[in-house]
Amino acid sequence: MLKAAYLHIPFCVQICHYCDFNKIFIHQQPVDEYLKSMKTEMLNTTNRFNNYKMETIFVGGGTPTSLSESQLDTFLRDVNEVLGNQSLKEFTVEANPEQTTNEKIAVLKSNGVNRLSIGVQAFQDSLLKKIGRTHNKEDVYSTVFSAKKAGIHNMSIDLMFGLPGQTMEMFKESVNEALALDVPHISSYSLQIEKKTVFYNLAQKGKLVLPEQELEAAMYEYLIETLDKRGFKQYEISNFAVPGFESKHNLQYWDNNEYFGIGAGAHSYAEGTRRRNAGPLRQYMSLIEENGFPYVEEHLVPLSEKMEEEMFMGLRKHQGVSDKTFFDRYGKSMFDVYKDPIERLIQKGWLERKKDTLMLTKEGIPLGNEVFQEFIGVVLD
């Protein structure tokens, strides 16, 4: 049974230099009309795929908090009307510090949002400006304080490392500032240079100076060791939580479960088929009006691909992949299907087996992408 939904708000007040997500400047955009199209997609989706019981909802972007108070309230009411139920355990909204006012926090709280994912990235105002962020350190403190005062204590902070001009001292300061805010979840990941971004264009011109790979690796090692000492468990490659505050929604992805994807550019996985929505706003809205659904791509996932995804998504988690779960889903043991790559990776010291479970070793975690590649394209008997 499907238990999760992702909803995409593509609007932004400012486009960050590293971001390749589906986004658009909010100025003079048909925001209200877009939100109505999202409600239509929600209704049509739940009517078509009715074997669901929502446990987690995640609103991402773009910048959901770029919506006005009234728009945010209308949107969240629609989400609750169509998707909300008594089984909902986690309702997360991404928030940018400079746009998350006390009034918007009150709207979030009154509509049942019980978790915020705050895009902080760094605690140095000069570095934030360099990566295209428009908030400052004080905005972060204010947002976290206001959310706690409103009764939202389940918060996650995003931090980035490997940023242009970022030193080890700067990253240490960011990690320690995040810990001082006393939030129960931290997501941290290295900068990836993606096409169609400001940083990509600068890199192509040789104008983007990044930290050396060794320094980036040292930042990640510092992150892991420091958070562990402070009681945060690394439950996924880039995610750390006080026990009990792991992201229930993201675990749906890493457990290779199905989910709804609502909004422009959103992806969904239902009844064994992955679907991609139109990204451009006008195209998305037109398809909703004409067909009721905004799909521009549908892919029935074959068994071999499902098993690949089970491996490279599941191995992201600290607890790894259970062979019992694998066998229950696919009728085969992963130790038979992937015998050769598993043996090879265990010999390298990147994977380890504990009873029926396979997981990354400490040495394998930084090499995750190389490990995952070993499970793609394996010829099945």
Side-chain angles (χ1 to χ4, degrees), residues 324-343:
K324 181 183 183 305
T325 300
F326 191 96
F327 189 89
D328 289 345
R329 285 187 166 186
Y330 311 113
K332 300 179 180 183
S333 167
M334 64 182 174
F335 295 109
D336 293 332
V337 176
Y338 298 109
K339 182 176 183 293
D340 291 341
I342 287 174
E343 288 180 355

Side-chain angles (χ1 to χ4, degrees), residues 192-246:
Q192 303 296 312
I193 306 301
E194 306 288 357
K195 291 183 178 180
K196 300 180 181 179
T197 64
V198 172
F199 278 170
Y200 178 81
N201 293 332
L202 289 173
Q204 291 297 102
K205 298 174 185 176
K207 295 182 179 180
L208 188 68
V209 181
L210 299 173
E212 296 292 333
Q213 194 170 355
E214 292 78 9
L215 176 55
E216 186 178 304
M219 290 176 175
Y220 185 50
E221 187 175 346
Y222 174 82
L223 174 80
I224 294 171
E225 291 178 355
T226 303
L227 294 187
D228 182 64
K229 290 175 184 175
R230 294 291 295 271
F232 283 72
K233 300 306 175 187
Q234 185 180 20
Y235 71 100
E236 191 270 345
I237 287 177
S238 301
N239 286 272
F240 306 77
V242 173
F245 287 90
E246 299 82 0

Side-chain angles (χ1 to χ4, degrees), residues 58-255:
F58 192 106
V59 182
T63 312
T65 50
S66 67
L67 300 179
S68 69
E69 293 162 38
S70 61
Q71 289 167 340
L72 189 60
D73 187 53
T74 297
F75 167 68
L76 293 173
R77 285 175 183 273
D78 290 344
V79 173
N80 280 313
E81 178 188 329
V82 182
L83 297 173
N85 60 70
Q86 295 302 312
S87 299
L88 196 62
K89 298 175 181 176
E90 184 182 89
F91 192 166
T92 304
V93 172
E94 287 184 349
N96 272 15
E98 75 279 19
Q99 288 141 26
T100 310
T101 62
N102 288 339
E103 292 77 14
K104 289 182 185 178
I105 289 173
V107 169
L108 296 170
K109 176 67 175 176
S110 67
N111 281 285
V113 174
N114 58 15
R115 184 175 184 270
L116 296 183
S117 177
I118 305 172
V120 175
Q121 316 312 352
F123 278 87
Q124 296 77 33
D125 292 351
S126 60
L127 184 55
L128 289 167
K129 186 176 181 181
K130 187 178 290 188
I131 65 176
R133 303 292 288 181
T134 54
H135 71 270
N136 58 39
K137 184 166 68 171
E138 292 302 323
D139 292 328
V140 179
Y141 301 151
S142 176
T143 298
V144 171
F145 175 80
S146 296
K148 287 182 179 180
K149 189 176 180 182
I152 302 176
H153 296 277
N154 190 358
M155 283 180 271
S156 177
I157 281 179
D158 284 357
L159 295 177
M160 295 180 72
F161 55 92
L163 296 170
Q166 187 180 37
T167 65
M168 187 65 172
E169 288 68 30
M170 292 166 78
F171 184 63
K172 286 182 177 180
E173 180 184 35
S174 290
V175 171
N176 290 317
E177 290 274 10
L179 287 167
L181 286 169
D182 192 27
V183 296
H185 191 285
I186 293 174
S187 295
S188 189
Y189 42 90
S190 65
L191 172 68
Q192 303 296 312
I193 306 301
E194 306 288 357
K195 291 183 178 180
K196 300 180 181 179
T197 64
V198 172
F199 278 170
Y200 178 81
N201 293 332
L202 289 173
Q204 291 297 102
K205 298 174 185 176
K207 295 182 179 180
L208 188 68
V209 181
L210 299 173
E212 296 292 333
Q213 194 170 355
E214 292 78 9
L215 176 55
E216 186 178 304
M219 290 176 175
Y220 185 50
E221 187 175 346
Y222 174 82
L223 174 80
I224 294 171
E225 291 178 355
T226 303
L227 294 187
D228 182 64
K229 290 175 184 175
R230 294 291 295 271
F232 283 72
K233 300 306 175 187
Q234 185 180 20
Y235 71 100
E236 191 270 345
I237 287 177
S238 301
N239 286 272
F240 306 77
V242 173
F245 287 90
E246 299 82 0
S247 170
K248 294 178 175 64
H249 181 83
N250 286 339
L251 281 166
Q252 295 286 344
Y253 301 142
W254 300 321
D255 287 339

Side-chain angles (χ1 to χ4, degrees), residues 287-301:
L287 286 171
I288 291 288
E289 186 175 352
E290 294 165 11
N291 307 323
F293 294 97
Y295 308 142
V296 291
E297 185 180 320
E298 297 189 57
H299 171 61
L300 180 63
V301 184

